[in-house]
């Protein structure tokens, strides 16, 4: 590309051909007013406010769409330009309604700001108000299109960034406005209430709706979203000490850019919910009674040390949180190992299949994960399997949809026709629990076509011959029969993937299913076969459900690894950590979440410390979990909410939510993001790091309690992959250290073995429980829904969590939309309304989690996800009874 030299306001500038005048001016700090421009959107040239003048020709141009040209002489601020800009704003104001004066956008309205800068006050033109009906029939967004200036940002955000297509221009000329199909209210359209258009809108035409009057933000603080593992960067608007509005932050290079999802944008009002815990409590005579911090911590430390003395360290367990910060997870596991002498420490990430990741991680030494999401848009092919990110991690779905729009082949494998399936080049609908067969079958087809990567296989793997031989003996007719996918379709997918490095995006559909471990092994084999590991735009992307699932794992809040994913069974790792902490590290693997419940049930576990988890709502078989926990001698719950689990606690410690404390999270890309408090915790609540520090002091070690910065320094010193973490800079990346990860070009790294090819068992039909229930999620809730259910916005949307049933089954059972059914499994039941859904095959039902206190957990058996014979937590056999 040619270099262009031009002059802007007398300043000589050299830039690249094809750049717009606006971009160049901004790069050199020259401010030009804009209303329809946004860096993440295609230039549009609608408002004409960014006019500049070419001095030699006198030509006026919209600088956002005008490219630079050789020897241009540009003026951005001449009297002529100002006159035109004033006229444009005067015309806009003449069309604006009087409600402008009481608009909730207030002084944040860009039109008002620009009008003020240009000295445009009350309009002197004949008012031409273009009244539109105010739409506020949903709890998230108010549309007052009388205030619309037709900048088109909302439509472009909807089409280009979140790729939903809920809105477009309606009508022509003066009457034209953004509208949904048939101009229906947003709640009756395909709108996902991501709020991206609201954050983009320069005027009060689109605004966030607040169910109670909370005022307008007085200040803004930056934080990281506390919901899923994407780790979106937030700008939180605050009035007093309450977060009352959330938008994407304006930071550069964030994971979410200008987008958010409905949870990030609107569900953070849970922070102000009445269910927040505000003071420590101790159970006395059956009731929880308020106590001072000193009293409460004295009881906790005393009881834990007493039980340790009497029953030994293995009678204690600590269940931590994949929602708490890196620093807090580090402290949590250190207290468990050093002060209490137990490896019985785990975190809520187990529910999302963390234990499986550990097993896969051991084989590749971390080489198959932590990739930036933006690489997805440059992938050669994407295989989305067992994941529905448009519900679970919506910002990831935006990347995938944008990739599909750019022409990246996207294979979606999901028994149900999901939103992502509509963007797929090919949608596969395998029978549930047969992904293992599907993956092996596709690998076999690629082998037959000799469409694998021999150079990668030679340099980085071992055991290929055996693997290829096992694949060649697979009965592909059986694969087709078992998966329910026709041979022709399997061939089509193999053809599409042939010769490509693949980005696999994997979710709960794999990680929680019956053959989870075997399916992951098969997927790893497939990625080795295709040379997809170690490449920037390929590999395996795991969708982490919780915001700090990765961090909790890396910080060692797991029963089988020390910080930095150092395996506990390694003598060297234990020795190193013993030296670092000047303490003995207990050798044996500790109890995971399921083991804790089992041992509590048997009476072997005596005390449980729970930080930021709600097992009575998030674990399968809640009745059994309740019984097990009631058998414990002592239960401590440290949380932000009064949950089901708080009801059985002996001591309750009120914690602070993410934006009320300092810390850092590690997102599913391996991005470590630091943040400072935006507001103070409510009442007497304290940040978890502070509670843990005070507790450690009560247990006899005051060194822990100083500051999160000190904890961070210790992490940086002893966990080299976190060496770049720096609270001041804000963002760092995990430094992968292993030879396998780096895939040295000379092939000197350790070789990764292909694992043996295994198959699913043939199952006889279950006549007593003939339907397969698939537990899924909706974007309005996260996980068990403890936090999202406390959001007024989400509550007021009135979702019922209907069960989806195929029309064929509906006809057979005489069921219609809105009927109520009881779903019964071998472990429990639930009652809900149904909806007939054509994207589901007969014999399957789909049940969204998080509704009705997360009652889908009643149906599932509590078993270890990693065990070879585990039925998994994703599906179960059920029968339906009309209610
Ligand atoms: S609603 Fe807002 S963002 Fe959309 S076109 Fe109108 S002014 Fe622009
Ligand atoms: S809220 Fe999101 S999905 Fe709905 S119209 Fe706006 S950008 Fe589109
Ligand atoms: S995608 Fe996840 S991290 Fe981003 S706003 Fe939504 S819930 Fe928050
Ligand atoms: S910002 Fe250039 S035309 Fe609107």
């Amino acid at each position: 590309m040619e270099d262009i030299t031009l002059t802007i306001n007398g300043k000589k500038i050299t830039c690249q051909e094809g750049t717009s005048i606006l971009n160049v001016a901004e790069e050199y700090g020259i401010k030009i007013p804009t209303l329809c421009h946004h860096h993440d959107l295609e230039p549009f040239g609608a408002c004409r406010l960014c006019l500049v003048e070419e001095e030699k020709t006198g030509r006026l141009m919209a600088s956002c769409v005008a490219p630079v040209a050789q020897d241009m002489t540009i003026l951005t601020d001449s009297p002529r330009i100002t006159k035109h800009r004033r006229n444009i704003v005067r015309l806009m104001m003449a069309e604006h309604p009087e409600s402008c004066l009481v608009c909730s956008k207030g002084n944040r309205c860009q039109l008002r700001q620009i009008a003020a800068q240009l000295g445009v006050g009350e309009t002197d033109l004949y008012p031409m108000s273009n009244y539109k009906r105010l739409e506020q029939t949903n709890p998230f967004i108010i549309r007052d299109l009388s205030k619309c200036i037709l900048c088109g940002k909302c439509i472009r955000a909807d089409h280009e960034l979140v790729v939903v297509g809920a809105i477009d221009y309606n009508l022509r000329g003066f009457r034209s406005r953004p509208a949904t199909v048939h101009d229906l209210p947003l709640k009756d359209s395909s709108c996902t209430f991501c709020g991206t258009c609201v954050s983009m809108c320069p005027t009060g035409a689109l605004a966030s709706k607040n169910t109670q009057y909370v005022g307008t933000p007085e200040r803004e603080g930056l934080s990281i979203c506390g919901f899923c593992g994407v780790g979106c960067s937030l700008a939180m608007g605050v009035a007093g000490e309450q977060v009352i509005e959330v938008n994407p932050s304006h930071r550069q290079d964030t994971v979410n850019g200008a987008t958010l999802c409905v949870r990030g944008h609107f569900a953070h009002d849970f922070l102000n919910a009445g269910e927040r815990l505000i003071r420590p409590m101790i159970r006395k005579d059956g009731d929880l009674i308020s106590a001072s911090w000193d009293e409460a911590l004295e009881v906790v430390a005393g009881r834990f040390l007493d039980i340790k003395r009497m029953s030994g360290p293995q009678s204690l367990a600590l269940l931590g949180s994949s929602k708490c910060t890196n620093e807090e997870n580090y402290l949590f596991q250190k207290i468990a190992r050093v002060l209490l002498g137990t490896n019985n420490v785990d975190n809520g990430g187990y529910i999302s299949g963390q234990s499986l990741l550990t097993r896969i991680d051991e084989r590749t030494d971390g080489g198959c994960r932590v990739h930036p999401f933006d690489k997805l848009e440059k992938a050669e092919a994407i295989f989305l399997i067992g994941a529905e990110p448009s519900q679970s991690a919506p910002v990831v779905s935006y990347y995938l949809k944008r990739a599909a729009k750019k022409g990246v082949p996207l294979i979606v494998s999901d028994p149900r026709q999901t939103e992502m399936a509509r963007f797929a080049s090919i949608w596969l609908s395998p029978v549930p629990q047969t992904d293992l067969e599907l993956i092996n079958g596709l690998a076999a087809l690629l082998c037959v076509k000799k469409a694998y990567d021999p150079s990668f296989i030679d340099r980085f793997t071992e055991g290929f011959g055996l693997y290829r031989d096992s694949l060649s003996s697979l009965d592909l007719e059986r694969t087709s029969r078992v998966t329910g996918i026709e041979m022709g379709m399997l061939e089509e997918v193999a053809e599409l993937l042939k010769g490509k490095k693949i980005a696999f995006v994997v979710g709960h559909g794999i990680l929680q299913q019956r053959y989870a471990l075997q399916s992951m092994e098969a997927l790893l084999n497939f990625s080795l076969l295709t040379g997809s590991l170690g490449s920037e735009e390929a590999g395996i992307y795991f969708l982490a459900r919780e915001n700090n699932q990765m961090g909790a794992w890396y910080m060692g809040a797991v029963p089988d690894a020390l910080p930095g994913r150092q395996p506990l069974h390694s003598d060297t790792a234990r020795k190193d950590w013993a030296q670092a902490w000047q303490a003995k590290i207990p050798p044996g693997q500790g109890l995971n979440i399921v083991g804790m419940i089992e041992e509590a049930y048997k009476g072997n576990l005596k005390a449980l410390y729970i930080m930021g988890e709600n097992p009575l709502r998030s674990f399968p078989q809640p009745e059994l979990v309740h019984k097990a926990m009631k058998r414990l001698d002592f239960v401590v719950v440290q949380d932000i909410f009064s949950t089901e689990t708080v009801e059985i606690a002996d001591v309750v410690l009120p914690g602070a939510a993410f934006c009320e404390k300092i810390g850092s999270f590690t997102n599913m890309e391996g991005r470590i993001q630091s943040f400072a408090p935006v507001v103070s915790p409510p009442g007497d609540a304290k940040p978890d790091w502070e509670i843990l520090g005070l507790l450690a002091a009560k247990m006899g070690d005051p060194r822990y309690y100083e500051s999160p910065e000190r904890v961070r320094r210790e992490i940086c010193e002893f966990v080299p992959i976190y060496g770049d973490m720096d609270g001041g800079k804000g963002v760092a990346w995990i430094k992968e250290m292993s030879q396998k990860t780096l895939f040295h070009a000379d092939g000197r790294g350790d070789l990764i073995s292909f694992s043996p090819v295994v198959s699913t068992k043939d199952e006889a039909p279950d006549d007593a429980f003939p339907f397969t229930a698939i537990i899924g999620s909706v974007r309005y809730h996260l996980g068990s829904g403890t936090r999202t259910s406390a959001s007024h916005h989400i509550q007021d949307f009135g979702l019922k969590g209907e069960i989806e049933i195929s029309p064929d089954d509906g006809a057979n059972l005489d069921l219609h939309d809105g009927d109520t059914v009881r779903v019964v499994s071998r472990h429990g039941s639930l009652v809900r309304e149904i909806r007939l859904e054509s994207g589901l095959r007969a014999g399957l039902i789909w049940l969204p989690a998080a509704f009705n206190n997360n009652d889908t957990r009643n149906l599932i058996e509590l078993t270890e996800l990693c065990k070879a014979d585990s039925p998994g937590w994703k599906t179960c056999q059920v029968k339906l009874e009309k209610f």
Side-chain angles (χ1 to χ4, degrees):
M1 251 186 216
E2 197 191 339
D3 272 355
I4 301 283
T5 304
L6 72 163
T7 310
I8 303 182
N9 295 350
K11 190 173 191 172
K12 206 164 189 174
I13 286 171
T14 303
C15 61
Q16 279 211 327
E17 189 185 3
T19 324
S20 71
I21 297 170
L22 178 69
N23 281 352
V24 176
E26 283 186 349
E27 203 179 308
Y28 284 84
I30 300 164
K31 199 138 178 48
I32 299 176
T34 64
L35 277 173
C36 72
H37 178 76
H38 191 283
H39 286 289
D40 291 347
L41 300 175
E42 290 295 323
F44 192 48
C47 71
R48 317 311 279 182
L49 212 69
C50 65
L51 284 181
V52 292
E53 184 177 351
E54 216 290 331
E55 212 177 355
K56 288 185 229 157
T57 60
R59 196 158 67 97
L60 293 176
M61 297 171 277
S63 61
C64 65
V65 285
V68 289
Q70 208 62 268
D71 301 327
M72 269 180 161
T73 313
I74 297 295
L75 292 176
T76 66
D77 226 359
S78 67
R80 191 169 158 231
I81 295 168
T82 306
K83 188 176 139 210
H84 281 290
R85 282 193 193 137
R86 290 190 82 242
N87 283 340
I88 292 166
V89 173
R90 283 169 69 219
L91 283 165
M92 285 177 180
M93 296 304 281
E95 209 192 324
H96 233 60
E98 282 162 11
S99 58
C100 180
L101 296 172
V102 288
C103 177
S104 65
K105 271 265 163 93
N107 290 336
R108 292 168 302 145
C109 170
Q110 289 171 37
L111 177 60
R112 261 164 75 165
Q113 284 168 0
I114 288 174
Q117 281 160 17
L118 292 168
V120 178
E122 241 173 69
T123 177
D124 49 353
L125 298 175
Y126 185 75
M128 306 174 288
S129 296
N130 188 359
Y131 286 109
K132 295 279 169 196
R133 200 169 14 98
L134 189 71
E135 185 203 316
Q136 45 181 346
T137 54
N138 69 76
F140 307 110
I141 297 173
I142 302 179
R143 291 203 302 166
D144 182 359
L145 296 181
S146 313
K147 295 173 185 162
C148 175
I149 56 165
L150 281 178
C151 71
K153 274 183 177 169
C154 55
I155 296 169
R156 284 177 288 149
D158 178 61
H159 293 206
E160 294 172 23
L161 301 182
V162 300
V163 201
V164 172
I167 49 174
D168 213 328
Y169 293 101
N170 184 26
L171 305 177
R172 295 255 182 264
F174 185 62
R175 294 173 63 221
S176 175
R177 285 294 178 267
T180 62
V181 177
H182 304 307
D183 211 2
L184 292 168
L186 282 176
K187 71 176 173 41
D188 300 321
S189 75
S190 56
C191 174
T192 63
F193 295 106
C194 70
T196 303
C197 55
V198 178
S199 305
M200 285 259 176
C201 181
T203 72
L206 299 177
S208 296
K209 184 173 176 183
N210 280 313
T211 40
Q212 298 124 342
Y213 180 71
V214 281
T216 50
E218 296 154 6
R219 61 188 166 87
E220 197 175 83
L222 301 182
S223 195
I224 302 299
C225 181
F227 289 114
C228 83
V230 176
C232 293
S233 187
L234 307 178
M236 306 188 101
V238 178
E241 277 302 318
Q242 283 204 350
V243 170
I244 60 166
E245 193 179 288
V246 177
N247 286 295
S249 80
H250 305 295
R251 279 179 172 161
Q252 294 295 304
D253 300 325
T254 61
V255 63
N256 51 311
T259 68
L260 285 177
C261 78
V262 62
R263 297 188 298 254
H265 206 123
F266 296 108
H268 278 113
D269 59 343
F270 81 80
L271 293 161
N272 311 322
E275 297 95 324
R276 287 294 302 271
L277 292 169
I278 52 170
R279 59 185 62 93
M281 291 182 284
I282 300 175
R283 193 170 295 279
K284 284 184 186 152
D285 301 327
D287 294 324
L288 284 170
I289 309 293
S290 293
S292 71
W293 273 106
D294 202 53
E295 282 172 307
L297 291 169
E298 192 80 39
V299 172
V300 176
R303 292 286 279 132
F304 261 76
L305 292 179
D306 278 352
I307 294 171
K308 180 185 171 189
R309 232 178 344 263
M310 288 168 60
S311 307
Q314 296 322 313
S315 63
L316 311 171
L318 291 88
L319 170 53
S321 176
S322 43
K323 297 181 263 306
C324 288
T325 64
N326 293 318
E327 293 80 357
E328 289 161 351
N329 274 289
Y330 180 84
L331 265 186
F332 193 71
Q333 59 83 39
K334 187 172 173 184
I335 288 175
R337 295 193 160 107
V338 175
L339 293 185
L340 297 172
T342 181
N343 287 313
N344 293 342
V345 57
D346 204 351
N347 72 86
Y350 182 92
I351 300 165
S352 302
Q354 195 72 69
S355 48
L356 285 159
L357 298 196
T358 308
R359 302 277 285 269
I360 294 302
D361 201 62
E362 278 168 11
R363 277 187 59 203
T364 60
D365 216 0
C368 66
R369 80 198 131 63
V370 294
H371 315 265
F373 290 127
D374 56 3
K375 303 288 179 204
L376 284 169
E377 292 184 51
K378 296 180 187 136
E380 292 177 21
I382 301 173
F383 198 153
L384 180 64
I385 182 160
E388 171 45 333
S390 56
Q391 307 294 334
S392 62
V395 167
V396 176
S397 77
Y398 308 156
Y399 281 100
L400 293 168
K401 290 176 188 176
R402 291 195 296 258
K405 246 179 100 178
K406 285 178 186 163
V408 176
L410 171 67
I411 314 287
V412 175
S413 172
D414 199 300
R416 178 169 167 262
Q417 190 174 22
T418 59
E419 199 171 304
M420 286 312 301
R422 289 200 279 277
F423 290 81
S425 319
I426 300 177
W427 166 48
L428 301 172
S429 171
V431 169
Q433 325 267 33
T434 64
D435 300 277
L436 172 61
E437 298 295 346
L438 172 66
I439 298 161
N440 282 338
L442 290 172
L445 282 171
L446 287 185
C447 274
V448 170
K449 291 172 192 292
K450 300 226 178 322
Y452 45 81
D453 186 338
S455 112
F456 178 92
I457 291 167
D458 281 354
R459 277 157 59 200
F460 303 119
T461 74
E462 60 189 0
F464 177 61
L466 198 61
Y467 173 63
R468 187 183 45 200
D469 294 347
S470 310
L471 287 180
S472 66
S473 59
L474 273 187
D475 174 1
L476 288 174
E477 291 301 327
R478 177 180 180 271
T479 305
S480 169
R481 194 179 64 249
V482 169
T483 59
I485 298 171
E486 288 174 7
M487 238 359 254
M489 183 77 97
L490 292 172
E491 283 279 359
E492 215 180 303
V493 175
E495 251 334 281
L496 193 62
L497 297 180
K498 197 165 101 180
K500 296 192 174 76
K501 292 191 188 301
I502 306 161
F504 297 93
V505 182
V506 182
H508 273 186
I510 293 281
L511 297 169
Q512 285 190 337
Q513 69 154 273
R514 174 168 188 174
Y515 295 101
L517 187 57
Q518 297 90 332
S519 304
M520 282 311 308
E521 300 271 12
L523 206 57
L524 186 54
N525 284 342
F526 198 10
S527 52
L528 295 177
L529 179 78
T530 48
S532 301
L533 289 193
S535 154
E536 284 256 281
E537 287 88 25
I540 304 180
Y541 290 73
F542 296 109
L543 295 185
R545 188 58 62 96
E546 300 279 3
N547 56 322
N548 200 30
Q549 198 172 314
M550 284 290 168
W553 181 27
Y554 274 76
M555 290 298 110
V558 285
D560 53 359
L562 290 156
R565 296 190 345 267
Q566 299 283 307
L568 193 71
H569 59 70
S570 154
D571 291 341
T572 321
R574 278 204 320 282
K575 211 169 119 213
D576 288 351
W577 279 104
Q579 198 176 354
W581 288 335
Q582 296 291 296
K584 269 194 188 153
I585 309 292
Q589 179 171 326
L591 297 172
N592 63 21
I593 281 179
V594 178
M596 288 177 194
I597 300 301
E598 283 172 356
E599 292 306 301
Y601 195 82
K602 289 181 202 155
N604 297 333
L605 201 67
K606 304 290 180 198
L608 182 59
Y609 192 116
I610 304 170
M611 175 176 80
E613 282 300 328
N614 184 7
L616 285 179
R617 186 177 171 122
S618 56
F619 290 10
Q621 291 187 272
E623 274 183 28
L624 184 142
V625 177
H626 189 267
K627 261 190 211 159
M629 290 182 64
K630 288 298 276 183
R631 290 181 186 179
L632 291 161
D633 291 346
F634 190 57
V635 178
V636 179
V637 176
Q638 177 174 318
D639 208 322
I640 62 168
F641 274 125
S642 182
T643 64
E644 292 85 344
T645 310
V646 161
E647 284 168 25
I648 62 161
D650 294 295
V651 177
V652 177
L653 305 173
F658 67 102
C659 58
E660 297 158 359
K661 58 190 174 186
I662 187 171
S664 64
F665 294 143
T666 312
N667 85 343
M668 52 178 121
E669 302 170 289
R671 187 192 294 243
I672 308 161
Q673 307 189 91
S674 301
F675 47 88
V678 173
V679 288
S680 308
D684 294 338
K686 287 184 188 292
D688 298 277
W689 64 264
E690 191 177 340
I691 301 171
L692 294 174
L694 289 169
L695 177 68
K698 288 274 180 209
M699 287 181 177
D701 194 339
R703 288 173 304 167
Y704 290 75
Y705 177 55
E706 278 177 29
S707 69
E709 286 82 6
R710 187 195 166 285
V711 184
R712 197 174 275 163
R713 276 201 303 277
E714 188 170 315
I715 295 171
C716 289
E717 186 181 344
F718 296 127
V719 188
I721 52 176
Y722 269 67
D724 290 342
M725 178 167 72
D726 176 345
K729 273 195 289 182
V731 178
W733 289 84
I734 283 178
K735 290 194 292 188
E736 287 297 354
M737 310 290 282
S738 97
Q739 291 286 298
K740 284 176 186 168
T741 307
L742 297 173
F743 289 102
H744 279 227
D746 57 11
R748 272 185 295 119
D750 297 343
L751 299 178
I752 307 177
S753 312
F754 281 91
S755 52
V757 175
V758 289
S759 286
T760 57
K761 290 183 208 147
D762 285 324
E763 306 275 349
D766 188 340
D767 294 335
F769 296 90
F771 289 92
T772 303
I774 306 172
I775 316 286
S777 58
V778 295
R779 62 175 68 88
Y780 300 91
H781 284 292
L782 186 84
S784 63
T786 300
R787 288 172 296 167
T788 42
S789 297
S791 153
H792 280 294
H793 282 124
I794 302 290
Q795 279 171 11
D796 292 350
F797 199 39
L799 295 172
K800 293 183 190 153
E802 291 102 332
I803 298 168
E804 289 181 6
I805 295 181
S806 76
D808 286 349
D809 288 331
N812 286 339
L813 297 170
D814 190 25
L815 290 172
H816 307 276
D817 280 341
D819 283 352
T820 303
V821 296
R822 184 194 297 278
V823 182
V824 185
S825 80
R826 286 191 170 81
H827 306 286
S829 66
L830 60 81
V831 174
R832 296 236 196 131
E833 282 187 21
I834 64 138
R835 185 174 63 220
L836 300 180
E837 179 58 60
S838 57
L840 210 59
R841 64 169 76 183
L844 299 184
I845 70 167
W846 184 81
L847 276 160
F851 291 89
N852 309 330
N853 303 328
N854 201 23
D855 57 6
T856 53
R857 286 291 178 239
N858 300 349
L859 305 175
I860 304 285
E861 188 183 355
L862 182 72
T863 51
E864 295 231 14
L865 283 167
C866 246
K867 270 198 179 153
D869 58 349
S870 165
W873 296 10
K874 184 68 186 170
T875 62
C876 62
Q877 291 306 118
V878 297
K879 62 184 174 185
L880 301 180
E881 295 166 357
K882 195 164 178 178
F883 202 60

